[in-house]
Amino acid sequence: MSNRKDKKSSGGKKQAEEQQRENILQAVVLADSFQKRFRPFTLETPRCLLQLANTPLIEYTLEFLALSGVQDVFIFASSHAEKVEEYIRSSRWAQKSSPFKNCRIILSPASVSVGDAMRELDSKQLITTDFLLVHGDFISNLPLGDILDTHRKCRTADKNAIMTMILKEGSCGIRSKAKSERGVFLIDPATNRCVYYDDIIPYGRSGTVIPRELFKDHSELQIRNDLIDCYLDICSPDVPALFTENFDYQHIRRHFLHGILTDYDLYGKTIHTQIIKDYYLARVRSLKAYDGVSKDMMEQLAYPVVPDTNFMDGQSYDSGRGSRYIDESVFLEQSATIKPSTLIGTDTSVGEESVVGSSTIGRNCEIGSGVVIDGSYIWDDVVIGDGCRIYSSVIANGVKLGKDCIVEKGALISYHVNIPDGTTIKAGSKITAYKRKSDTDSDSDDKEDKEDKDGLLAGHEYEDSESEEEDEVIRSKMDSLGFHEEDLINDSESSISTISDDDEDSDDELSPGDKKLRERSDSVTTATSEDNAEADAWHKEAAISLFTAMEGDHPVEVASLELNGLRMTANASWHQVRKATVSALHSRIEQVVATKSKSLSQAANEVFTRWEPLVKRMIFDQADQSDFLLLVQKDCVERKNGSSLLLTVAQRVFELDIVEEEAINAWWADEKSSTEAGGMSKVRQATEVFVKWLAEAEEESSEEEEEDDDEDDE
Amino acid sequence: MTSQMVTLRMPDLQWWLDHLDTAFAPDVSVDLFVGVLKRRSVKGPEDAAIATAQLFLRLIYAHPFSSIGDLVDHISSVGTKLSKAVPRELAVRNMARRVIGIIREEAENNGMGDLFQAALETEELPKVSHAPKGRADTGAQLTGHASFANPSSSVTGVFEILSVASSSRGSSAASTPPSTGMGKAPHAQTAQHDIRPAVIQDIQELLEELDSCEHNISELATQVIYKNEVILTYGLPPSIHKLLLRAAQKREFTLIVVVDEIADINKQASTAVMNKPTGKEEAGDDQETATRKSLQDRGIQIMVIMYHDLENLMPRVNKVIVTARYVFADAGMVAVTGTASVLTIAKEHSKPVYAVAGTHMLCPMTTVGPYGLFERGPPDITLRKTCFSSALVLFFLTVSVLTAFNPEHCRPATMLSEYIENGSVDCFITNNGLIAPNCINRTIMEMYHTAKCDLF
């Protein structure tokens, strides 16, 4: 009886508390990283559910929030959203005894960047007070109390202080520091205001240009690139609003921070920093960081966030000497050797004469006898046959390794792959059993064929066939597990501050070390220059935004304005604009054909009639016209029904007076168009009829004209 | 603008007590407390003891009484769960034992001692099979409870319990096999008198005892400190500070405070010496700190020395006072890192050593491998003392030394406490009076009423 009464009274008090709670800090956890660095694992699991020291990453993030007393949490999930939701719903955070009073999950599968997430947040109007923005792979033991106090002081002093970034001081030598994502912060030490930010692109231009005016306004400035930026921010509601205002902001640092600070005159918003010295802050951004953070955990740098705190139910790690964490009911053979910095999950057995050192082994694993495991991360339910040797690799759940396999440095083996006896897995290879669902591009078809031929391996080598931002490729390369030795070279050498008024080519100032690295980076990737990467990214963005406009049937003016805006921000050429438009138009035509079951010519007619003004706006003379046609042709090469598409498009643009005859002729005669390379000539075969017809018609008309002339003469 | 101002509240002891007052719900609160303990939001013997005792008070209040067996089951299962959360925070475990002890006492007062014994025994059997390591709280043999809130009553209490315990032990050994105990319980249910009010009252006494612990310790000041003595302390923790303040009212003496590289000790010592309010006191007794005179005001001469001066000054010292974190039944103890070396030097010079410990720190166990008992902290706390450049040099030195001499490449984890073997302390100052090390065992046995100690 008394029990029931108790509940009632506590319920009543809860309501009163809810009113109070309005002022308690809320936190937004971005469960998605919007990156691809943990591929192939992230093909099947979201990054925040990958396990570090046998605990999913998001647990650490939520634990950090609980440690500071945050009570209201929004988890923002986009890729694999349903998996994140399922996990959170069944976890202790959703239970009554959770330290959070409120733990909501926002599903937004369409978001592909932080910017999208923030815009979504703004449109839903869920947050009205200041909030903490944190990523789902963040690990820390930082208590937020004091930091929040300082932030509040800033806010009361200046209404325009919209954001406080929490950064950790740490120079080289910190393992968990991501080598690739570094930025330069200019901080006014008097107010802790950040006045300028620029991203440092690894191996790219190694300098940054600081506007001179900044030195006039601030008597003292610190230029720092020794800060570990975990993207931990206390934001005001203005921040999502600003993201909505600037729909092209994707990255919170590269775009948002840089943009807001550069356009200080326009927005008048200030952003402050707080630099942390004593606590542990890290984000698991890459495999390298994963390796580093795991080691830090073993050494208890993030105390009380350590394995033997046993946050998760069903864990009971015991910390022995030399940081060996061994759960209950682990079976170790007498002759097995467990070296320091090792963590072994429950119900795992290790066979005779096996040696396990500085590794993490998950739950329910079976490790045979005579196995050597060094510096590796083995997740749950893995079976490792006798005599295997595994060095610095990651092996995901459910993998079966046959006898006497050798896994060399930096190999990644994804979920449920079976490796037959005696296989050697080369350094740095990525193996997955996951098959791409969307087999639209022939590329992946090929790959599966290959796999069938191989037959032996139940799993195929994974390569990222999607055209990825080349920049991103380098970044992820640098941070891969195998990349151990060389990476310290450039740590000290990258020169930062190039103070000048105009954009000087900073390539001249590359230090020798950087040049070397740059050469290496060139050999790593196929596309060389960084400009290409930028252009690619812009092209993709523009094409997508235009395509969505077409899908949504926006007015031509709006689409054109948007495109123009994009063009201006990236300073793109009209050629690029046309390229993007062509690709968007073609996608649209294909879509119309597919969805409305119309013939190709009908669809092309419909689309081009509708968007004719837009196309005309980007074509100024005849050279542009032929360029347009060339782009159409190029794009058609990559399309399924390329040749017929090219024909219909060519007809349509001619009929609509987008291009003139001369342009068509010029295009037809162009070498680029008629070369064999890349199937260009193949795709234009069908169009030949049209061009011939055109030529004939022209002759006729010219004859007629001549005749007319003749008549006139007479 | 004001609506946008946001705050946060650290989930500390005060937060926990507020939670218990406002939003207590039995199961939820237990799980929440496990989380709080694991996160180390509530730590240190005093805080942990108070938080645990308060939780048990609410739990017993909320638990519908059907039989003693049921109540004991409930409490000891919660106790096991809590003490498993952070095994090294022994105060949690001690409190669980004390509460079960209270239930026993009240059961016996109401003539239901047999029922209690039966309940304990049935309950113990499955538990042993579950936890082969013996890590779980084997709250078995512990029985009576002695409250030290009121020293005069405790004496009679001990005698009472002794006599009752011996009789009950005899009876249980003779006649109650576990299975019959199970069968008996429903049968006896009708007759069972609800002992909860009495238990609740006793727990409140226990809480008072915890509350007045430091005060009671400081009452012993005159017995410990004599005129014109030179007292040496390691740091100046609040319990010793109060003791010295009390002594300073009556006597004049000289105080030497040893500080070390450890930031905690430094901070504690400096706030105490400068008579600043510590963070914990700020909230509650502002007035007390304001009116309180500092040691210097009371005419005490204080010297703060670094650890390396210890050797020089030790010959002039009359007494060494340190604090214990936990005291074991063999008079070994866990104390703040650095205490052991102070005690070693004291021993070299044959100086008497006093250790301050509350009764909630006395643990009915002995230990051989104390590694798991140490409080740890993030390495930064101790490593970031020196300035940047020297830290870097130091770091590289350590790394090179470690790699040279430590083939296993492991960095030492930071230990905030260390184990001190028995024999280094001459006398324990507890809120139950001064206890000699060779009497600690007996005192603990009596307090928890166990026949033998656990081995950790």
Side-chain angles (χ1 to χ4, degrees), chain A residues 17 23-25 63 67 69 96-97 129 152 155 277-278 299-301 303-304 308-310 319-320 340, chain B residues 3-7 9 11 22 28 31-32 38-40 88 371 375-380 384 408 411:
Chain A
E17 240 165 73
N23 290 334
I24 286 181
L25 183 75
E63 202 58 59
L67 195 70
K96 262 191 154 181
S97 59
T129 58
R152 236 190 357 252
R155 290 278 287 164
K277 284 182 185 150
D278 293 338
E299 287 171 10
Q300 311 201 325
L301 292 188
Y303 187 88
D308 63 334
T309 307
N310 298 319
S319 62
Chain B
S3 71
Q4 285 182 343
M5 289 299 136
V6 286
T7 51
R9 184 136 187 235
T22 54
V28 175
D31 284 345
L32 195 59
K38 280 186 176 176
R39 243 162 257 136
R40 311 313 313 272
R88 78 182 85 102
Y371 188 83
E375 183 59 53
R376 284 168 301 173
D380 292 3
R384 291 286 166 86
E408 298 196 317
R411 264 200 266 169

Side-chain angles (χ1 to χ4, degrees), chain A residues 58-261:
Chain A
I58 198 164
E59 290 283 335
Y60 294 105
T61 313
L62 296 176
E63 202 58 59
F64 154 72
L65 296 176
L67 195 70
S68 305
V70 175
Q71 299 197 328
D72 214 348
V73 177
F74 296 91
I75 296 172
F76 201 95
S78 46
S79 74
H80 300 286
E82 64 300 332
K83 280 186 186 165
V84 176
E85 187 182 17
E86 192 190 319
Y87 179 81
I88 297 292
R89 293 243 180 278
S90 58
S91 73
R92 63 210 162 101
W93 306 104
Q95 283 164 15
K96 262 191 154 181
S97 59
S98 146
F100 304 140
K101 290 217 173 81
N102 238 324
C103 183
R104 277 171 278 186
I105 301 166
I106 304 169
L107 299 181
S108 157
S111 299
V112 293
S113 69
V114 179
D116 290 343
M118 297 301 269
R119 283 186 275 278
E120 176 102 16
L121 210 63
D122 189 46
S123 65
K124 286 193 174 166
Q125 289 296 327
L126 285 165
I127 287 176
T128 50
T129 58
D130 288 11
F131 65 96
L132 181 77
L133 183 70
V134 58
H135 282 260
D137 51 4
F138 177 68
I139 296 175
S140 179
N141 58 354
L142 173 80
L144 281 172
D146 298 342
I147 289 159
L148 196 66
D149 285 345
T150 326
H151 171 75
R152 236 190 357 252
K153 269 176 212 153
C154 274
R155 290 278 287 164
T156 27
D158 181 7
K159 272 184 195 175
N160 286 323
I162 52 166
M163 189 162 113
T164 300
M165 298 184 286
I166 300 159
L167 308 166
K168 177 167 163 66
E169 192 173 75
S171 42
C172 58
I174 289 184
R175 287 183 288 217
S176 54
K177 190 176 180 181
K179 296 278 182 304
S180 59
E181 290 199 18
R182 287 184 308 180
V184 183
F185 295 86
L186 252 73
I187 296 165
D188 186 342
T191 52
N192 273 333
R193 221 186 97 189
C194 181
V195 293
Y196 185 77
Y197 171 84
D198 203 1
D199 206 30
I200 292 193
I201 295 159
Y203 303 141
R205 76 199 148 91
S206 67
T208 185
V209 179
I210 296 162
R212 187 174 274 167
E213 301 87 65
L214 286 176
F215 291 89
K216 290 176 194 153
D217 302 340
H218 302 274
S219 57
E220 195 184 350
L221 277 178
Q222 291 180 340
I223 304 172
R224 305 191 65 159
N225 84 328
D226 64 332
L227 299 171
I228 300 175
D229 187 359
C230 293
Y231 296 6
L232 178 70
D233 304 316
I234 302 174
C235 306
S236 72
D238 295 336
V239 173
L242 278 169
F243 265 101
T244 314
E245 212 171 291
N246 299 279
F247 47 82
D248 58 324
Y249 284 173
Q250 302 295 334
H251 195 274
I252 193 161
R253 291 284 186 270
R254 210 173 299 152
H255 302 140
F256 174 78
L257 181 62
H258 183 75
I260 295 292
L261 293 178

